[in-house]
């Protein structure tokens, strides 16, 4: 027995430690230190032995050691608190940690914030019973609130939740049901869980017309979905009828930022086709949003003008066509745009569409490519059409066939000047009967400083 005591004394004196059948040497035997490696890594305290069941600060880092002395990793409950330790090193973490698509916050002492409000960098965040940051719409105390990721609670304003638009008041609670006047003057109706209403609606037994993009209640004369509405000052529809030919314009960045849509409507304009942007695919795909796309759409719709859009496309393959349409759709969603007239593919100015070029793929290829793009528009929920000139409509692709298949045909064929008789009275009975006719490029309209394209829309030629 004495021999074993002497051996132990010698081992300790020399700085040797035995663990798990292995002998470790410490050059300074009065110190603690790490022993083992990998799954066998442990921390040996010179007084207490292998550290177990505790948090321990070692140098500048804090670790947790399990019941068997192993270094704890991941999320671990220690007493009344929850901590998170790096999955590889076992070092205790603080601040924001993202796991499984959710964010959690650990205080400076490592404790996880659970089930309460907590301020981080001056912003107030709320955390649920599992410690996840509240994001999105949440019911608290019978009221609905919306919490914005990374910024804390959304105090007020409009917010889209899935396909619905809601309004959150100054205290953060969601507005329920009724009319609400916004800071920009829009008078909108919210219907509880259905959120903001759009389009033609019956509210409290009365018919109303609400802007389809921004929800504002319309008054006076309004044009929507092929109908002309007569609306009282209180927003109640007094009557509606279909007029076979509509007068319209198309606009882009070229007309500038100062289009006065109230004056445009007063001049007799009933619809507008607004340039969304252009897509080109050279070495890299390039989508350029028109500077005034959203501004023009929202401005026209606020006045009760019916609105469509056009995309200027340089797409030479189905892949490029699909990419251009998807980029347009993403821009429309981002800019809160809905349309009641078609989205047109502007088919011009491409090498293989130039008359006589015989370009890429030939006549059938080009026809099929235009059709393909319009089908992608339909898949995204838009009515679809195409724009081209009279010269190109039969030479470069089969416009008549596409029109007969049910796509809107917007034809550019200009009269010489504004002294021509009203084109709506002229016969247009050849094989290229259009749904829309761009009859002049030098129009003068009140509310627009520059010349603008003039158009007529024929409802009996629009796709059903």
């Amino acid at each position: 027995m004495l021999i074993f005591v002497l051996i132990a004394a010698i081992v300790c004196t020399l700085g040797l430690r035995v663990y798990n059948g292995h002998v470790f040497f410490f050059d300074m035997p009065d110190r603690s230190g790490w022993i083992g490696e990998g799954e066998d890594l442990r921390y040996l305290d010179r007084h207490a032995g292998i550290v177990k069941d505790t948090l321990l600060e070692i140098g500048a880092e804090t670790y947790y050691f399990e019941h068997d002395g192993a270094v704890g990793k991941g999320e671990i409950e220690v007493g009344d608190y929850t901590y998170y330790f790096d999955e590889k090193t076992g070092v205790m973490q603080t601040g924001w940690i993202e796991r499984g698509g959710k964010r959690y916050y650990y205080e400076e002492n490592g404790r996880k914030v659970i089930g309460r409000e907590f301020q981080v960098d001056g912003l107030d965040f709320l955390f649920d019973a599992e410690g996840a940051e509240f994001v999105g719409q949440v019911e608290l105390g019978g009221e609905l609130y919306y919490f914005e990721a990374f910024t804390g609670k959304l105090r007020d304003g409009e917010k889209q939740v899935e396909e619905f638009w809601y309004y959150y008041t100054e205290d953060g609670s969601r507005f329920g049901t009724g009319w609400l006047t916004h800071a920009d003057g829009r008078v909108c109706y919210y219907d509880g869980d259905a959120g903001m209403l759009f389009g033609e609606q019956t509210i409290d037994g009365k018919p109303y017309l609400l802007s389809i993009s921004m929800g504002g209640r319309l008054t006076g004369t309004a044009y929507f979905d092929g109908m002309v509405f007569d609306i009282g000052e209180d927003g109640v529809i007094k009557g509606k009828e279909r007029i076979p030919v509509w007068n319209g314009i198309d606009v882009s960045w070229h007309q500038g930022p100062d289009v006065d849509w109230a004056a445009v409507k007063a001049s007799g304009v009933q619809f507008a086709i607004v340039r969304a942007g252009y897509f080109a695919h050279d070495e890299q795909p390039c989508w350029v949003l028109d500077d005034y796309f959203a501004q023009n759409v929202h401005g026209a719709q606020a006045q009760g003008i019916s609105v469509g859009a056009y995309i200027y496309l340089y797409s030479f393959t189905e892949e490029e066509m699909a990419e251009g349409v998807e980029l347009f759709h993403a821009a429309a969603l981002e800019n809160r745009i809905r349309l009641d007239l078609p989205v047109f593919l502007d088919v011009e100015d491409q090498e293989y569409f130039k008359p006589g070029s015989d370009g890429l793929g030939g006549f059938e290829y080009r026809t099929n490519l235009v059709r393909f793009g319009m089908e992608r528009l339909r898949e995204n929920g838009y009515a679809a059409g195409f724009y081209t000139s009279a010269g190109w409509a039969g030479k470069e692709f089969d416009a008549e066939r596409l029109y007969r298949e049910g796509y809107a045909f917007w034809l550019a064929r200009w009269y010489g000047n504004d002294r021509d008789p009203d084109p709506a009275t002229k016969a247009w009975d050849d094989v290229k009967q259009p749904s829309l006719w761009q009859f002049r490029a030098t129009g003068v309209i009140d509310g627009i400083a520059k010349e603008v394209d003039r158009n007529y829309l024929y409802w009996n030629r629009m796709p059903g």
Side-chain angles (χ1 to χ4, degrees):
M1 183 66 177
L2 180 59
I3 294 176
F4 289 108
V5 172
L6 290 172
I7 292 173
I10 292 170
V11 167
C12 291
T13 302
L14 293 175
L16 300 176
R17 298 290 188 271
V18 180
Y19 171 71
N20 202 22
H22 301 281
V23 178
F24 298 89
F25 176 76
F26 290 83
D27 59 356
M28 297 183 69
D30 62 334
R31 287 189 177 182
S32 303
W34 293 100
I35 59 175
E37 59 184 18
E39 295 299 321
D40 290 328
L41 183 65
R42 301 292 187 271
Y43 192 81
L44 181 64
D45 183 90
R46 65 189 180 92
H47 298 299
I50 300 299
V51 177
K52 302 176 182 180
D53 296 319
T54 190
L55 289 165
L56 181 64
E57 186 174 336
I58 303 174
E61 309 292 358
T62 300
Y63 299 84
Y64 178 76
F65 294 92
E66 304 278 8
H67 184 67
D68 63 354
V71 178
K73 297 176 182 179
E75 190 167 86
I76 299 174
E77 289 187 18
V78 183
D80 296 330
Y81 303 102
T82 303
Y83 301 82
Y84 186 78
F85 301 88
D86 186 89
E87 300 283 353
K88 293 182 178 180
T89 66
V91 174
M92 186 178 75
Q93 303 296 296
T94 61
W96 290 105
I97 300 291
E98 184 171 346
R99 304 194 321 274
K102 296 182 179 181
R103 295 206 313 161
Y104 303 85
Y105 191 80
Y106 298 82
E107 300 181 61
E108 288 184 6
N109 59 13
R111 294 172 180 175
K112 183 181 183 182
V113 179
I114 297 175
R116 61 191 174 98
E117 192 169 1
F118 190 80
Q119 191 172 84
V120 181
D121 297 330
L123 298 173
D124 292 325
F125 294 86
L126 189 65
F127 298 87
D128 66 18
E130 301 298 323
E133 173 197 7
F134 272 121
V135 176
Q137 189 164 259
V138 179
E139 183 174 353
L140 299 171
E143 297 286 348
L144 289 166
Y145 298 83
Y146 190 90
F147 293 87
E148 199 78 77
F150 305 106
T151 61
K153 188 165 64 177
L154 179 69
R155 295 299 179 184
D156 57 46
E158 296 170 81
K159 184 67 183 179
Q160 186 174 17
V161 181
E162 296 177 346
E163 71 269 33
F164 305 107
W165 280 91
Y166 299 108
Y167 184 84
Y168 297 87
T169 60
E170 291 184 0
D171 68 357
S173 62
R174 195 184 84 183
F175 182 79
T177 298
W179 293 101
L180 181 68
T181 301
H182 289 266
D184 60 6
R186 284 176 297 134
V187 179
C188 302
Y189 190 84
Y190 291 85
D191 188 18
D193 289 340
M196 183 186 290
L197 300 185
F198 304 91
E200 195 171 357
Q201 298 285 345
T202 299
I203 300 170
D204 295 330
K206 298 178 181 180
Y208 294 87
L209 184 60
L210 311 171
S211 168
I212 60 170
S213 290
M214 300 298 289
R217 185 175 67 193
L218 299 175
T219 60
T221 302
Y223 308 92
F224 173 71
D225 201 25
M227 304 297 293
V228 181
F229 291 79
D230 179 18
I231 307 172
E233 289 300 312
D234 59 357
V236 176
I237 297 171
K238 297 189 289 187
K240 62 182 179 179
E241 63 176 329
R242 183 178 294 277
I243 297 176
V245 181
W246 280 14
N247 172 43
I249 58 175
D250 59 270
V251 296
S252 71
W253 62 271
H254 178 73
Q255 277 69 43
D258 300 319
V259 175
D260 181 344
W261 286 102
V264 170
K265 179 183 176 183
S267 73
V269 169
Q270 297 160 310
F271 75 94
I273 310 298
V274 177
R275 180 179 182 265
Y278 75 84
F279 174 78
H281 199 300
D282 298 323
E283 293 184 0
Q284 295 292 330
C286 175
W287 164 255
V288 179
L289 185 70
D290 189 288
D291 291 341
Y292 309 120
F293 177 43
Q295 178 179 320
N296 281 329
V297 170
H298 295 156
Q301 289 178 339
Q303 296 300 321
I305 295 173
S306 191
V307 179
Y310 71 94
I311 314 168
Y312 205 83
L313 281 177
Y314 292 83
S315 299
F316 306 121
T317 66
E318 288 187 352
E319 181 180 6
E320 293 172 6
M321 183 69 79
E323 187 173 13
V325 169
E326 288 300 322
L327 288 169
F328 157 76
H329 181 53
L333 293 177
E334 181 179 352
N335 287 277
R336 196 173 169 178
I337 286 173
R338 298 174 180 172
L339 305 166
D340 65 302
L341 292 180
V343 176
F344 295 88
L345 302 182
D346 186 341
V347 183
E348 59 172 309
D349 240 12
Q350 303 178 60
E351 185 62 34
Y352 62 92
F353 277 110
K354 290 180 179 178
S357 70
D358 195 34
L360 180 65
F363 187 86
E364 283 299 312
Y365 180 89
R366 296 189 287 270
T367 301
N368 292 335
L369 184 60
V370 175
R371 181 192 295 107
F372 178 86
M374 292 188 292
E375 281 302 300
R376 301 293 78 75
L377 284 168
R378 284 181 171 179
E379 288 175 2
N380 282 302
Y382 303 97
F386 61 96
Y387 166 93
T388 196
S389 69
W392 294 12
K395 294 179 180 178
E396 300 304 309
F397 68 104
D398 198 336
E400 182 182 3
R401 187 200 311 172
L402 294 174
Y403 170 61
R404 302 301 178 195
E405 289 175 2
Y407 302 102
F409 177 15
W410 181 14
L411 177 70
R413 186 172 184 176
W414 303 335
Y415 275 78
N417 54 57
D418 286 347
R419 293 189 298 274
D420 287 318
D422 184 352
T425 66
K426 291 181 177 290
W428 189 268
D429 54 2
D430 63 12
V431 295
K432 299 180 184 64
Q433 291 184 353
S435 311
L436 285 81
W437 180 11
Q438 187 186 80
F439 64 87
R440 186 170 295 140
T442 56
V444 177
I445 296 290
D446 291 343
I448 302 178
K450 296 182 178 181
E451 292 182 337
V452 63
D453 296 334
R454 297 283 305 279
N455 297 270
Y456 281 90
L457 185 156
Y458 302 91
W459 281 106
N460 66 330
R461 301 175 186 170
M462 289 289 284

